[in-house]
Amino acid sequence: MIVEDALLLAAAALVVLAVVVLYRAVRGPTMQDRVVAVNVLGTKTVVILALLSAALDVPYFLDIALVYALLNFVMAVAISKFTVDRGGVM
């Protein structure tokens, strides 16, 4: 029971930190700040899903985390390509 509580506590801490990163994604002064913040949010979401999967013993959360990680990667590549095509340098 202690391990599950520790995993849930870690997931809650990551949610709090994700709110801080969300601020950077919304108010980032440059496009690069926003891209990195959105990528960090995606990574945190994957980790939170993995922690919840282990804590709650729900294995299909890992499948959702893997799909979300793939979508996060594709999104980062697409935004980078869009920025380079517009003339911005990442």
Side-chain angles (χ1 to χ4, degrees):
M1 204 56 160
I2 292 174
V3 173
E4 289 85 6
D5 290 340
L7 292 173
L8 289 174
L9 186 64
L14 285 175
V15 168
V16 171
L17 293 174
V19 171
V20 175
V21 175
L22 183 63
Y23 174 78
R24 178 57 59 193
V26 172
R27 304 283 289 183
T30 65
M31 181 70 170
Q32 290 85 7
D33 291 335
R34 291 186 173 121
V35 169
V36 170
V38 169
N39 200 3
V40 169
L41 279 173
T43 303
K44 284 187 184 301
T45 303
V46 170
V47 173
I48 289 169
L49 284 171
L51 288 173
L52 289 177
S53 174
L56 302 176
D57 197 25
V58 182
Y60 64 85
F61 276 7
L62 286 178
D63 297 334
I64 296 170
L66 287 173
V67 170
Y68 196 83
L70 180 64
L71 289 175
N72 189 35
F73 173 73
V74 170
M75 184 270 317
V77 170
I79 289 176
S80 298
K81 174 126 177 71
F82 176 73
T83 303
V84 169
D85 287 347
R86 283 184 47 197
V89 178
M90 292 286 302

